[in-house]
Amino acid sequence: MTDILTIRRPDDWHVHLRDGSMLEAVAGYTARQFARAIVMPNLAPPVTTTAAARAYRERIMAALPEDSDFTPLMTAYLTDTIDADDLAAGHAEGVFTAAKLYPAGATTNSDSGVTDVANIYGVIERMEAIDMPLLIHGEVTDSEIDIFDREAVFIERILEPLTRKFPALRIVFEHITTANAVAFVKDTGPNIAATITPHHCVINRNAMFTGGIRPHAYCLPVAKREPHRLAVRAAAVSGSSKFFLGTDTAPHVRGDKESSCGCAGIFNAPFALESYAEVFAAEGALDQLEGFASEHGPRFYGLPLNEGTVTLRRAPTDVPDAIALEGAEIVPFQAGETLGWTLD
Ligand code: NCD
Ligand code: ZN
């Protein structure tokens, strides 16, 4: 049994670092575990221009601990009217690593998202030409589609046609939650990959209703039935280079979660690697963790692998019930539980 696991320094290919006092409170957690992270642009207002991304990157750098060498990789928030020239210039300049497609209304701060993907075909064509990755929140938003079916329907109606229309486009299908998404990614060309969160490996939809309503288990895409969790978990540990680490850490203060209309999002940044390690260990796949956490992502994005290593030890980590924030608190994923691994 492996008790000490040293792997190349990992990256997080999907985080919400927020802004203002929340950014100050959470940035250090991601920077402690990861060398780089793809930073989501769903601020209010969203990050839609190169200038806004540059300014946000500076605010992130200012929020980091003094000795941190963390690199935020910025993304553009696609809207129906985004300026393709500015997007391409931002990419050429190295400000934008990728662009994110939120269907309007799909999740937190997605009101300015794309109302019909056809509205941005011109922009996507441009992205395909300059080889700029498109990151997708893959859920339809039609109210008549059951919330648990929105990812599967998105694949059929939007994603599959999109991959045929833009065959060379690099796409990351973000935070996949279904067996349908796993199958789609596996069966589609090498330019299609997916991120997988720790929570979608660990919880199924029952977690939201264990003995009462559990707002801290609510995120989008919402956790699905057990067979879907098992499919997602199997994909994560499979060793396939099409699947890589993206926590989707999405902090909201306790009061915004424990509310009559609670926000979607799970804050897993403090112990994300420990959570993943537990999943890989339970599956007898610790030897696949390095690929998932540190190699598949940079290879897909065409970025160098990190130098340096991190070490995980088989030793208990107690996840606190809450993490204090100026005048508020955030409840982390697996609050009050003991994880079997500790990051040195
Ligand atoms: C994210 C957030 O709060 O910004 N919420 C979530 O449940 N994951 C948005 C998102 O990634 O969907
Ligand atoms: Zn997200």
Side-chain angles (χ1 to χ4, degrees), residues 14 16 18 40 42 100 102 106-109 137 139 175 199 218-221 248-252 263-266:
H14 186 130
H16 299 271
R18 311 301 193 204
M40 289 295 131
N42 63 332
K100 178 75 188 269
Y102 288 104
T107 187
T108 309
N109 293 340
H137 183 111
E139 289 191 287
H175 41 49
H199 44 281
Y218 173 57
C219 66
L220 287 169
D248 194 22
T249 179
H252 295 276
C263 293
I266 292 179

